[in-house]
Amino acid sequence: MFLKHKKNIKGQAVLIVLLSLSVVLIVVLYIMSRSVTDISLSTKEEDSLRAFSAAEAGVERALVIGNSSGTIDSANFNANVTSFARGATEVVYPLSLKSGENATFWFSRSGEGTHFTGSQIKYCWGDLGTSITTAETPALEVTIFYTTTPNNLTTLRIARATLDPNTSRRGTNSFGVGNDSTCTIGTDQFEFQSTLNMASLGISGFATANVLQYSTAKILYNITTAHKIGIDVNGTGSSLPSQGSKIISDGSFGNSNRKVEVYQLHPEAPPIFANAIFSTSGIVK
């Protein structure tokens, strides 16, 4: 009887030891698994950062010399520069804007064979679903720069239109009507639109190349929320010159690949320039 009891105690001890070893083994395997995962994630993150840095380096180089490829810190990059919107009949400004900020759309560019000579331009603005009745409903001030003699900047003139979809606000700001009618440009959708006719704005000779120069579209009232702006000249029988350059740079390191896309837009005239042209008297230095 005593021998049987002793054997039972030994069997229980072996079982406890095996269970303890199993628990220890599970803990060790869990720790090793976590360590391997952490190392893998750290490696992937480092590779991703190096690939992104290479893509940024490609952008910086492309801004100076154009299309380029190379290696930096063992990471590879390949950057391609293309003309942004040249020959297009519609374009969306690549940045969303808050009140007081301008989007510039070019109609003529020196050295390019494409010049916009259409009779009308449709302006689209405001993200889809934007309310028409709030204090921040975005309005638009459009200024079109043109010359009375083609490409002679000493004859530069401006035509201006103000557009507001908020009907209650138009009673105090005297803006023109901005239509609460959705507008689609490519994959972008807008809540408001308005079509401006060149002749109605008093612009003569618009059908001649290099008369229409460029347009600024200033968004107003949307202090807290930025909105998109675009133009559409479909159906006018004319197209737009380039609006700048588009740079796409791919960076790679290890198994990581990152892409950076940036726009280098044409230089813009300071806002005071429009006020100087609009002045009814001469400018004294």
Side-chain angles (χ1 to χ4, degrees):
M1 192 74 173
F2 175 74
L3 291 175
K4 186 176 180 181
H5 179 66
K6 191 173 182 180
K7 287 181 180 179
N8 287 339
I9 292 174
K10 287 183 177 179
Q12 291 174 2
V14 171
L15 182 59
I16 291 172
V17 170
L18 290 175
L19 288 173
S20 300
L21 289 175
S22 298
V23 171
V24 172
L25 181 60
I26 291 172
V27 172
V28 170
L29 290 175
Y30 174 75
I31 293 173
M32 290 180 63
S33 175
R34 286 295 303 269
S35 298
V36 170
T37 301
D38 290 345
I39 292 172
S40 176
L41 289 174
S42 297
T43 301
K44 288 180 179 179
E45 184 177 356
E46 182 180 353
D47 289 354
S48 180
L49 287 173
R50 294 180 73 171
F52 183 72
S53 296
E56 286 187 319
V59 169
E60 293 177 3
R61 188 170 180 181
L63 289 171
V64 178
I65 65 173
N67 293 343
S68 61
S69 60
T71 302
I72 179 170
D73 194 22
S74 301
N76 300 315
F77 65 83
N78 183 52
N80 292 308
V81 183
T82 57
S83 180
F84 172 45
R86 182 174 183 176
T89 55
E90 54 186 26
V91 59
V92 176
Y93 194 71
L95 300 174
S96 293
L97 305 176
K98 289 186 177 181
S99 181
E101 296 178 329
N102 281 320
T104 298
F105 300 100
W106 292 88
F107 303 140
S108 296
R109 291 295 301 171
S110 177
E112 291 190 22
T114 305
H115 309 281
F116 177 66
T117 55
S119 60
Q120 62 183 30
I121 306 167
K122 180 164 70 174
Y123 288 82
C124 305
W125 73 97
D127 296 344
L128 192 66
T130 301
S131 173
I132 194 175
T133 59
T134 69
E136 291 217 359
T137 300
L140 207 63
E141 178 189 86
V142 175
T143 304
I144 296 176
F145 295 74
Y146 67 99
T147 56
T148 56
T149 302
N151 223 22
N152 183 350
L153 296 183
T154 64
T155 65
L156 195 63
R157 302 287 187 274
I158 67 171
R160 184 170 285 163
T162 48
L163 311 164
D164 193 347
N166 188 324
T167 53
S168 62
R169 201 166 54 196
R170 288 202 300 266
T172 57
N173 62 19
S174 299
F175 280 22
V177 177
N179 298 311
D180 183 20
S181 176
T182 58
C183 170
T184 300
I185 298 179
T187 59
D188 292 286
Q189 292 184 299
F190 303 83
E191 185 65 29
F192 312 117
Q193 63 166 290
S194 188
T195 299
L196 299 182
N197 185 282
M198 300 299 101
S200 298
L201 291 173
I203 303 174
S204 59
F206 56 82
T208 303
N210 292 312
V211 167
L212 296 173
Q213 298 294 314
Y214 66 94
S215 166
T216 60
K218 180 189 292 185
I219 200 162
L220 301 169
Y221 295 111
N222 57 318
I223 297 172
T224 59
T225 303
H227 289 277
K228 300 175 293 184
I229 301 176
I231 62 171
D232 184 348
V233 297
N234 276 302
T236 64
S238 186
S239 56
L240 300 165
S242 76
Q243 305 297 306
S245 298
K246 180 179 180 180
I247 302 170
I248 299 178
S249 179
D250 295 298
S252 62
F253 183 82
N255 293 322
S256 294
N257 295 280
R258 298 295 297 274
K259 178 182 288 187
V260 175
E261 181 178 298
V262 300
Y263 294 85
Q264 184 182 36
L265 304 177
H266 297 311
E268 302 177 6
I272 191 65
F273 184 58
N275 296 327
I277 297 176
F278 197 69
S279 174
T280 56
S281 61
I283 300 174
V284 180
K285 185 175 179 180

